[in-house]
Each structure stands twice: as structure tokens, then as C-alpha cells.
Amino acid sequence: MKLTTKGRYAVTAMLDLALHGDQGPVSLAEISTRQEISLSYLEQLFSKLRKNDLVTSTRGPGGGYSVSRELSLVAVSDIISAVNESVDATQCAGRENCHSHGRCLTHDLWEGLSVQIEEFLSSVSLQDMIDKQRVQNVSVVRESMLVQVRHA
Amino acid sequence: MKLTTKGRYAVTAMLDLALHGDQGPVSLAEISTRQEISLSYLEQLFSKLRKNDLVTSTRGPGGGYSVSRELSLVAVSDIISAVNESVDATQCAGRENCHSHGRCLTHDLWEGLSVQIEEFLSSVSLQDMIDKQRVQNVSVVRESMLVQVRHA
DNA sequence: CTCTTAACCCACTAAAACAGTCAAGTATTT
DNA sequence: AAATACTTGACTGTTTTAGTGGGTTAAGAG
């Protein structure tokens, strides 16, 4: 899981789509002006989003893109991994040349954290974000996670 | 919060330091061979880690780096933001040119998620990762977070 | 039928970030 | 004094980002 501005753009665009898509498809031009992302860049991103079945396209006048599934079924991690197409080639993972046990241990620790991040982003859907309109009470969530992590 | 291989390298190196630092400082050369990260790249990373007071350096023979605080006080987010020096210049944030309410809303939604990611990574310390040796029961954590997010 | 709209597709590019190299220094210990 | 090892900075090749430009295809409106 890689987290860069590219993923941010994709998530922002998908949120725009989710918010404005209740009356038919939304054109990239609209998203471009609203979110201040260049049209051509959006085309690149939506090409990947379409290939990953996150959006469907409608051609012609009045056309545009629509979210292909229920908003609650589109996770943030889906969007990010769609545009990042991460092969996740961890150079050491499960290779036989990993004889030094110390190295594997450190790698495992990091991998474990990566899984947690992945799982976290999988647990947040577009619907979740819209329902709340704004993330509240973060400290409560934090404390809860802290406990979970400590006792896991 | 940006999450790339650079941050991964930094976290891995800090974990190595935490695991091997119980008997005095650890040289970058050791970390380089154990973790298969180029020495020069480590130098760059540790320069930033030192400037952010995450590690202290000891010069001379037998010297190296040590974690500067208690392991439980070093969060993963500290390490990542130290090497990424993210200025986080969100082009729109709180500017007066943000007249279109739709745009701000989308940005706010994304910002909210960013905060959650940040908080999540802040809640995991080096000590946490070492205590567990391996992240277990991720699904339990996931379910818990899911509930938290939904009801936040 | 034709014109417009908007997706689709491709090649290309400037700038930044990433990952690593090299070399000349400085501080500390033996 | 010499060896060790951190410090600093300049430099390089590659990949990713973000954006341009041009053309093609599908669908609707007149």
C-alpha cells in the first residue's frame, strides 16, 4: 500500500463522483473544475479506476462516469491500489536467501504494520466518509486502536 | 502523511536499531548489511532522523546510533514524517478562494481520513511492534475499527 | 446526416521524488 | 597518530507525478 498525492487525487475524485452522481453520470470536466485537477490527469486515473471496475463510463452528451457499486462497497484501499497498481514486490518476502533470522524478523514487523494499514483503509468506504460528513471524535478512535494494538 | 518505500526503509532501520541497540550504539554499516539498505542511503535517512531527535549519534570507534527515547515513545508516524519532511501544502486548505462549497466538502472528507491515518500510525510505537513480535489477530482489530469508524 | 459532447487512447515531456554514489571532511577512541 | 565512524554536500540515474496535445470512437441533438 502506497500513499501519495496520486491516491489522494483518486480518492478526492471518487468522493466528488459519489457526492454529485445521484442524477446521472458526472463528466470529468466537472470534476476537473470542482477539484482543480487537470482533465488529462483525471483521464489517466479514471482509465485505471474503470479497469478495476470501480466506475462505469457513459459516452456521448450528458455522459460521464458513475460509481459502479454501492458506495458502501467501495473502500478507500480499493481506490488507492487501483491507481497505484502496486505489485508489492517486497524483495525479501519468503525467499530462501533470507537466512539471517534478524532480517526476517524486522521485515515481518514491518509487514505486519503494512497489513494493519491496509486493513484500516479497507474498513473505510465512500459511504462511511459521506455519512459522517466529517470525521469526529478521532481521539476516541485512537484510544480504542491503541488498546487493540497493545493487546492484539 | 505520505507512505512510500522511503518511510519503509526508515521504519525498518529504526526497528533494527531497537532490536540490536541494547548493548551500545549500532553502526550504520551493521544495519546496512542486515537490512540490505545501501549505507549512503541510510546516512541520508539517519541525518533526518537525528535532526528530528529520534536518534542520537556516537562518534568514534564502537560508535553508531541509538534510539534517543524510550521505545514506547517513538511512534511509526514520527519516523515516517521525519524522513518525508511533509510540508503538507494542501492547496485549498482554509483559503478564501474556496468559494465553491462542494470542493471544500470533498477536501474536508479527505482531510478527515488523512487525520485518521495519521492517528493510527501515531498509535503504534516501536515498543508495540517488538512486544508482539508479529501482528496477530488483525481481523479483530479491523472489525473493531470498522465499528468505530461507522459510529464515530 | 452532421455537429457536438465526452469518453477513450496514445505518445510525449518537464519537474519532482526516490535511491544510490562518491568524496572530502570532522570527531572520538585506542 | 591512526583507525573508526559519523557528517556533509554535491552529484547521478531512474521512476513517478502531473500535465499537454492530438487523434479516435460512441452517443445524442438538431
Side-chain angles (χ1 to χ4, degrees), chain A residues 1 88 90 93 104-120 149 152, chain B residues 3 8 11-12 15 76 120-121 124-125 128-130 132-139 141-142 145:
Chain A
M1 174 81 8
D88 191 37
T90 46
C104 270
L105 180 57
T106 315
H107 278 218
D108 283 351
L109 289 170
W110 170 258
E111 289 302 323
L113 181 63
S114 298
V115 170
Q116 287 216 348
I117 297 169
E118 175 88 37
E119 293 286 345
F120 172 55
V149 168
Chain B
L3 206 59
R8 177 203 149 98
V11 171
T12 301
L15 274 167
V76 173
F120 171 55
L121 292 178
V124 182
S125 71
D128 288 330
M129 298 185 73
I130 292 172
K132 290 169 299 169
Q133 293 286 39
R134 178 181 304 269
V135 178
Q136 302 157 319
N137 235 342
V138 174
S139 61
V141 177
R142 197 193 77 81
M145 286 194 300

Side-chain angles (χ1 to χ4, degrees), chain A residues 81-95:
Chain A
S81 57
V83 297
N84 279 340
E85 58 203 20
S86 69
V87 199
D88 191 37
T90 46
Q91 63 267 34
C92 159
R95 219 72 54 84

Side-chain angles (χ1 to χ4, degrees), chain B residues 37 58 67 74 79 96 119 144:
Chain B
I37 307 171
T58 314
V67 181
V74 180
I79 301 170
E96 79 280 0
E119 293 286 346
S144 162

Side-chain angles (χ1 to χ4, degrees), chain A residues 9 11 23 55 67 69-70 79 84-85 107 115 118 138:
Chain A
Y9 278 142
V11 172
Q23 279 124 24
V55 296
V67 182
R69 316 177 206 152
E70 233 181 293
I79 301 170
N84 279 340
E85 58 203 20
H107 278 218
V115 170
E118 175 88 37
V138 174

Side-chain angles (χ1 to χ4, degrees), chain B residues 98-116:
Chain B
C98 210
H99 43 351
S100 151
H101 189 61
R103 183 165 93 242
C104 270
L105 180 56
T106 313
H107 277 219
D108 283 352
L109 289 170
W110 170 258
E111 289 302 322
L113 181 63
S114 298
V115 169
Q116 286 216 347

